Amino acid sequence: MFNSPKRKILFTSFQTWLPHQKSNSSDDLLAQIAGQNFPDIETTFLRQLVVDTEAASKNAIAKIKQSQPDLIICCGMAESRPKLTLESNATKDAFLLPTKVNLSDLLTNLEFTEISHNAGKFVCEGLYYEILNYLQQTNSASLCIFVHVPLLTPENLSPILTDFSRIIHNLLQKL
């Protein structure tokens, strides 16, 4: 009997970038996820990327080349958003790249998540665009999504963790 190969997931998050930020909610969420057990899944965490599109993209693409993940889940903080948001696309210089993932399918059983069509015009969108572009240029079979994470509070932490875990599970079903 043969064992199927482990699925590989790469998670990314960012550092803070404004003086009032004590932490980055995307990184805080990954810290919570890092403690979970995902059977038959090999997880790699590229946490606290510098808030610089070029440097963050170079680091992330180098990690993609090294680890060859089946799935890439990039996370960034969206202080003003009330829910997790799945970004449908990224743009750069009027070029739009959509994710290959059907995000509507991912929303099954999610109560604290919605789809966004505006990745923010900042380092989050820059990283997402560069990774989607790299995957397209290399004809990679890897799937990639970007998840914006609101500020985490005692009231929203549990539903956000639940939805984020379901997003991972739903994505793994697509591999």
Side-chain angles (χ1 to χ4, degrees), residues 5-59:
K6 282 189 170 191
R7 297 294 187 181
K8 297 179 185 177
I9 302 177
L10 171 63
F11 294 95
T12 72
S13 67
F14 288 101
Q15 297 175 344
T16 59
W17 69 97
L18 294 172
H20 73 274
Q21 297 167 336
K22 293 183 174 123
S23 65
N24 186 308
S25 58
S26 70
D27 190 60
D28 297 340
L29 180 61
L30 292 191
Q32 294 282 327
I33 292 298
Q36 293 185 9
N37 181 25
F38 294 101
D40 301 321
I41 300 169
E42 181 181 319
T43 56
T44 302
F45 291 87
L46 187 56
R47 295 179 51 200
Q48 297 200 6
L49 288 168
V50 65
V51 181
D52 174 275
T53 299
E54 185 178 341
S57 299
K58 283 182 181 179
N59 285 342

Side-chain angles (χ1 to χ4, degrees), residues 43 47 50 53 55 63 67 108 114 121 126 143 160-161 172:
T43 56
R47 295 179 51 200
V50 65
T53 299
K63 185 60 81 173
S67 63
T108 303
E114 56 194 21
K121 308 296 179 225
L143 296 178
I160 286 175
L161 278 171
L172 289 170

Side-chain angles (χ1 to χ4, degrees), residues 109-143:
N109 298 323
L110 302 183
E111 298 175 13
F112 214 77
T113 304
E114 56 194 21
I115 296 172
S116 165
H117 306 289
N118 179 358
K121 308 296 179 225
F122 190 48
V123 70
C124 294
E125 183 163 41
L127 174 70
Y128 195 27
Y129 183 90
E130 294 302 328
I131 291 175
L132 290 173
N133 187 50
Y134 170 78
L135 296 175
Q136 184 179 48
Q137 296 300 318
T138 59
N139 294 314
S140 174
S142 298
L143 296 178

